[in-house]
Amino acid sequence: VPKLLEDAFATAGTVWAGTDVVLDYKASPPPVGSEGLLPPALIVRGEHDFVTDPCFDGWQRLFGWEKSRVRIMERCSHYCHLEEPEAYGRMVEEFCAENDVV
């Protein structure tokens, strides 16, 4: 277990107690009139993430199907950036390069 992830779990429950608090979470739509103003979004989840499929679908609907990319990282839970930092970094770098506007 990476040290950063170990440290994160050491303080688990100080803000949220368990994963049940997010089971019913759904992304809210943006305010009326802001459609088209949201930037492209990279929506990342781990293969073993506790965040539900409906939640991720909600985020993708919120940002727009054509402007968002969902990536599922294998062998990861919720903390992909700590569990697979090199792969996560490459994914973010590729997304930024794909959406770079000069």
Side-chain angles (χ1 to χ4, degrees):
V1 174
K3 177 75 171 109
L4 288 172
L5 185 56
E6 187 177 311
D7 292 346
F9 281 124
T11 59
T14 58
V15 178
W16 291 352
T19 58
D20 292 343
V21 296
V22 296
L23 288 179
D24 294 330
Y25 178 82
K26 292 187 177 52
S28 300
V32 174
S34 65
E35 297 83 5
L37 298 177
L38 295 174
L42 176 61
I43 305 166
V44 181
R45 69 181 300 177
E47 176 183 16
H48 306 288
D49 207 317
F50 56 80
V51 177
T52 63
D53 288 338
C55 179
F56 275 88
D57 291 345
W59 282 110
Q60 196 165 19
R61 268 193 307 283
L62 182 124
F63 282 96
W65 297 99
E66 70 286 346
K67 291 175 70 175
S68 60
R69 301 289 177 266
V70 172
R71 298 292 181 258
I72 300 172
M73 293 190 66
E74 295 179 0
R75 300 177 310 276
C76 290
S77 61
H78 188 67
Y79 303 97
C80 303
H81 61 294
L82 298 176
E83 297 169 81
E84 294 286 341
E86 291 83 14
Y88 183 86
R90 282 191 305 273
M91 180 178 41
V92 171
E93 190 173 296
E94 289 169 8
F95 178 78
C96 290
E98 176 185 320
N99 292 284
D100 188 22
V101 179
V102 180

